Amino acid sequence: MEKSVFTVRQINSYIKSVLEEDLVLNFISVLGEISNFKNHPSGHLYFTVKDEYAALRCVMFKSAAYGLTFRPENGMKVIITGRVSVYDKTGDVQLYADAMQKAGTGNLFLEFEKLKQKLLAEGLFDDSRKKPIPEYVGCVAVITSKSGAAVRDIIQIIRRRNRLIKITVVPVLVQGEGAAAQIARAIDLVNEWGKADCIIVGRGGGS
């Protein structure tokens, strides 16, 4: 029996139609914390809503954003009402927001600020600890997960800017138990190696 072969656009369009016919996802309210907020010149709002376990991309079009009585900000806890669908050009699942209301300051943001103040008090952000980024880079060490989207994005952007730059990837855990120790050890190893002009420590997931 001959198998049907679909285009990527056809698959994405089909997934979109399935999601938009779902009665739960067609009108839903989601509680979460705003991150990666971007106010586009067009008036559309692009951001991610997240909790401690997961993240969901969101878009609020200009017509809906006009109805807001406050300015959304990173770290703000909100309740978003809208529908879940797929942007069929990229296959990204998104929450299309029709309305948004404040729900307080997000716990993740408060924890981040608490940690930031602790590190400031320890002097870890002092200018005396900072090194200038070299103007001309011949070799970059990238410390990140070997399987995440971040490493692919970093390599792609570096190659696009300058194909002559050498890239050395040092794979580590970027979250969970043991991640901090692995990252610290990787930085030590790159410094001992001594051939990288700079180090990028990165992770993806919108955080």
Side-chain angles (χ1 to χ4, degrees):
M1 183 176 177
E2 187 176 349
K3 292 184 178 179
S4 298
V5 178
F6 300 93
T7 66
V8 175
R9 183 66 180 270
Q10 286 174 324
I11 292 297
N12 286 351
S13 295
Y14 179 75
I15 295 171
K16 179 178 180 179
S17 68
V18 171
L19 290 179
E20 291 184 348
E21 289 174 6
D22 187 287
L23 295 178
V24 175
L25 299 179
N26 199 34
F27 185 77
I28 194 167
S29 293
V30 179
L31 172 66
E33 183 176 322
I34 293 176
S35 66
N36 298 326
F37 180 79
K38 294 178 183 177
N39 191 345
H40 196 271
S42 65
H44 304 327
L45 308 181
Y46 298 93
F47 55 98
T48 299
V49 64
K50 65 181 182 178
D51 57 25
E52 60 267 38
Y53 303 109
L56 178 63
R57 290 187 179 184
C58 304
V59 57
M60 179 176 248
F61 293 127
K62 181 179 180 179
S63 56
Y66 267 135
L68 291 175
T69 58
F70 62 95
R71 179 181 175 82
E73 296 178 351
N74 288 329
M76 184 179 288
K77 200 170 186 179
V78 293
I79 298 174
I80 301 168
T81 300
R83 60 185 175 86
V84 175
S85 187
V86 167
Y87 182 49
D88 50 8
K89 285 188 178 180
T90 62
D92 291 331
V93 175
Q94 297 185 133
L95 175 60
Y96 291 83
D98 296 320
M100 183 190 306
Q101 64 186 77
K102 286 184 180 180
T105 302
N107 291 333
L108 297 176
F109 185 75
L110 291 175
E111 290 174 9
F112 169 77
E113 284 296 319
K114 184 178 179 180
L115 176 60
K116 183 178 176 182
Q117 294 303 317
K118 176 178 179 290
L119 299 179
L120 277 170
E122 293 176 6
L124 299 183
F125 295 149
D126 289 350
D127 288 340
S128 61
R129 293 180 174 269
K130 298 178 181 178
K131 296 181 179 180
I133 297 175
E135 187 173 358
Y136 301 103
V137 176
C139 179
V140 176
V142 181
I143 299 173
T144 188
S145 170
K146 63 179 180 180
S147 59
V151 67
R152 295 193 298 271
D153 291 342
I154 291 169
I155 292 172
Q156 183 182 30
I157 292 170
I158 292 174
R159 289 281 181 255
R160 192 165 65 226
R161 300 289 175 84
N162 187 343
R163 299 190 65 84
L164 298 178
I165 293 177
K166 296 179 181 178
I167 303 171
T168 298
V169 177
V170 184
V172 294
L173 290 173
V174 293
Q175 60 183 4
E177 187 175 352
Q182 283 196 22
I183 292 169
R185 178 56 181 155
I187 293 172
D188 286 340
L189 287 172
V190 173
N191 284 329
E192 291 170 10
W193 181 49
K195 295 183 179 180
D197 298 303
C198 65
I199 300 171
I200 295 175
V201 180
R203 68 181 296 268
S207 299

